[in-house]
Amino acid sequence: MKSIGAAVFFVVDKIDILKKVPIFGDLSDSDLRSIVDKMVSHTYKKGQIILMEDSIGEHCFFLTRGKVKITRLSSDGREVILALLASGDFFGEMSLLDGESRSANVVALENTKALTLNMEDFLTALEMYPKVAINLLRELAVRLRKSDEQIASLSLSDAERRIALSLLRIAEEQGIIHQGHVTVNPLPFQQDIANMAGTSRETVSRTYGLLEADGYIDRDGRKLVIMDYDRFLSDFS
Ligand code: CMP
């Protein structure tokens, strides 16, 4: 009797956890239950490799606790971070959708928990619950947009990149963070930033224009706002 009670409690608990994964947010409890029944819980220690690039994809992962980094190796052997994902995010869907091998490594940055679905159950869930499929597409559009921004930022020259890094340093030291924005007020003079970045004042002024046009920063006199600190950090650091 006791063990039946415990089992029921476990299923309900998993549904509550799954409700915090936004792509399942629109489903009723009974729909969630039918998905959760097929899921398996996993835990990973900080630093553990969860997925290896080029391996065969068999499961999709839904993060319920912790953080992971998505990485690839550059041609000269450096680790490139493509994205940081946190509780509520999913990963591992790409190879299940296109049948190719894993596109990147996934490494736990903290002790992490995930629920997984195997390929068949994942594809069946997308077919049965169009809302889940649309939510997944929406998130993939967000990720593609971020990648596009990252590609655009790669076209910055070394000097422009050093200026962005100087802004990051100043933001870390003097900025006030509020809901993802970081405000620096007053911002050091352009000549001081130029000296920090080893470039000219004119290049600083031009780079501000580029960063503003791309929506990275907003300026008002000597006040500078980094609009999305995480995005700035991941694109320039
Ligand atoms: P998959 O290719 O199966 O395995 C690696 C996973 O990393 C991939 O699915 C995506 O879930 C995730 N991934 C790869 N590239 C990105 C990216 N640019 N942004 C966020 N997640 C990514």
Side-chain angles (χ1 to χ4, degrees), residues 51 57 70 82-83 85 90-96 101-106 143 147:
L51 293 182
I70 312 285
L82 302 176
L85 302 181
F90 60 84
F91 60 87
E93 79 296 346
M94 284 172 59
S95 49
L96 304 194
S101 57
R102 295 295 190 194
S103 60
N105 304 296
V106 182
R143 291 181 185 181
S147 296

Side-chain angles (χ1 to χ4, degrees), residues 70-82:
I70 312 285
T71 70
R72 284 182 81 147
L73 281 188
S74 67
S75 49
D76 58 357
R78 280 177 306 117
E79 178 188 79
V80 179
I81 297 184
L82 302 176

Side-chain angles (χ1 to χ4, degrees), residues 185 187 204 221:
N185 194 11
L187 185 66
V204 172

Side-chain angles (χ1 to χ4, degrees), residues 1-16 33 36-37:
M1 194 65 190
K2 251 185 179 175
S3 65
I4 291 170
V8 169
F9 173 75
F10 181 61
V11 171
V12 170
D13 195 33
K14 261 176 78 182
I15 288 175
D16 284 340
R33 178 164 297 120
V36 112
D37 282 348

Side-chain angles (χ1 to χ4, degrees), residues 50-67:
I50 303 175
L51 293 182
M52 294 270 281
E53 185 180 347
D54 290 334
S55 61
I56 293 172
E58 291 173 334
H59 296 90
C60 187
F61 296 69
F62 304 91
L63 272 176
T64 56
R65 181 179 294 178
K67 280 196 181 123

